[in-house]
Amino acid sequence: MDGFVVMPMLEAAKVGDVFCTLTGDINVIDSDHFKEMKDGAIVCNSGHFDVELNVKALERSGYKVTKDVRDLWMNI
């Protein structure tokens, strides 16, 4: 990871602008992480399944998902 700062997700959530999961693991980005993210942060999943992002926790936080060619998360 030459040139990149590696840190726990909870720390990265506070400073990052774009988050893309590729792990295949569940809840890699969870409610605690969403709460720490900057307004306007971009979150995406590049895997086959949507388990890496805790979508239910995001929806419970007041966000709405619209299905299209891509998912668009909007603060309501």
Side-chain angles (χ1 to χ4, degrees), residues 11-57:
E11 291 177 33
K14 297 174 185 176
V15 296
D17 296 310
V18 178
F19 302 89
C20 183
T21 59
L22 303 143
T23 68
D25 200 0
I26 62 169
N27 299 336
V28 174
I29 301 182
D30 209 345
S31 59
D32 290 341
H33 307 124
F34 293 129
K35 290 175 188 172
E36 295 295 330
M37 289 181 185
K38 296 188 238 177
D39 186 35
I42 298 169
V43 180
C44 60
N45 172 36
S46 187
H48 293 285
F49 307 105
D50 65 355
V51 299
E52 297 177 36
L53 308 176
N54 189 341
V55 175
K56 290 180 183 178

